[in-house]
Amino acid sequence: MRKITCSLLLLFVVQHLFSQDIYKRVTINNIDDSVIEILDYSGIDMTCGAIFVDNKLQIELSENELEAISNQGISYTVLIDDLVQFYSNRAITDLPQARLELKQDKLMSQQLGRHSVSEILNNVGQYDDCDEIDWATPANWNLNP
């Protein structure tokens, strides 16, 4: 009996340690200075990924962060319940189109003679343009099935 109890306790601890937070995309209506102050106080980072449109904030938060702001009296509307599942499904759906675009990029790289890695790395100190480097798509690079 003691071995079973210890095994179950160990399983619970391991599951808790390796559990992944579920992130949700939410909107918060009627954004004003006081709401932003509460979000900041709650540790919500709005420097990257937060979208302000028409007095609304769209942001992606973990369940723990949502609980914290809910406890502070901020209401929200869930747009996407599980972002990991959302992006996984989208990747599967978009895979055929991505493969087609990759095939086209490989052909264009061969025809246009885009920059290879060795050309840029050998001359990286000379590159001072503001535009992105037009890298050649490697011929042996493939998307996972």
Side-chain angles (χ1 to χ4, degrees):
M1 181 71 167
R2 186 174 175 179
K3 287 182 181 181
I4 293 173
T5 304
C6 288
S7 297
L8 289 175
L9 182 61
L10 180 63
L11 180 64
F12 176 76
V13 169
V14 168
Q15 181 182 4
H16 182 70
L17 289 175
F18 292 105
S19 65
Q20 186 178 18
D21 284 335
I22 294 176
Y23 281 81
K24 301 175 185 289
R25 181 175 295 160
V26 300
T27 56
I28 301 171
N29 296 326
N30 302 320
I31 294 296
D32 59 17
D33 290 341
S34 65
V35 173
I36 291 175
E37 189 175 308
I38 292 170
L39 293 172
D40 186 46
Y41 175 77
S42 299
I44 306 300
D45 181 16
M46 291 180 287
T47 58
C48 184
I51 301 171
F52 291 95
V53 176
D54 297 331
N55 204 29
K56 294 179 183 178
L57 170 66
Q58 179 179 302
I59 194 165
E60 298 173 355
L61 300 172
S62 71
E63 289 180 325
N64 292 337
E65 291 169 325
L66 288 170
E67 184 179 344
I69 67 170
S70 185
N71 289 340
Q72 295 289 327
I74 297 177
S75 60
Y76 56 87
T77 304
V78 176
L79 300 175
I80 300 173
D81 196 49
D82 184 346
L83 287 170
V84 171
Q85 188 66 42
F86 169 77
Y87 287 119
S88 294
N89 291 340
R90 191 173 79 174
I92 291 168
T93 303
D94 293 349
L95 185 59
Q97 180 64 29
R99 284 189 174 138
L100 178 64
E101 290 175 11
L102 177 61
K103 185 176 182 180
Q104 292 170 345
D105 277 349
K106 287 179 182 180
L107 289 172
M108 297 254 317
S109 290
Q110 292 171 351
Q111 293 170 355
L112 297 177
R114 292 181 176 168
H115 297 294
S116 70
V117 175
S118 61
E119 290 171 323
I120 299 300
L121 292 180
N122 290 338
N123 198 20
V124 74
Q126 300 294 321
Y127 184 77
D128 60 359
D129 196 358
C130 292
D131 296 330
E132 290 186 17
I133 299 171
D134 192 14
W135 295 103
T137 302
N140 63 345
W141 187 72
N142 295 302
L143 294 173
N144 291 331

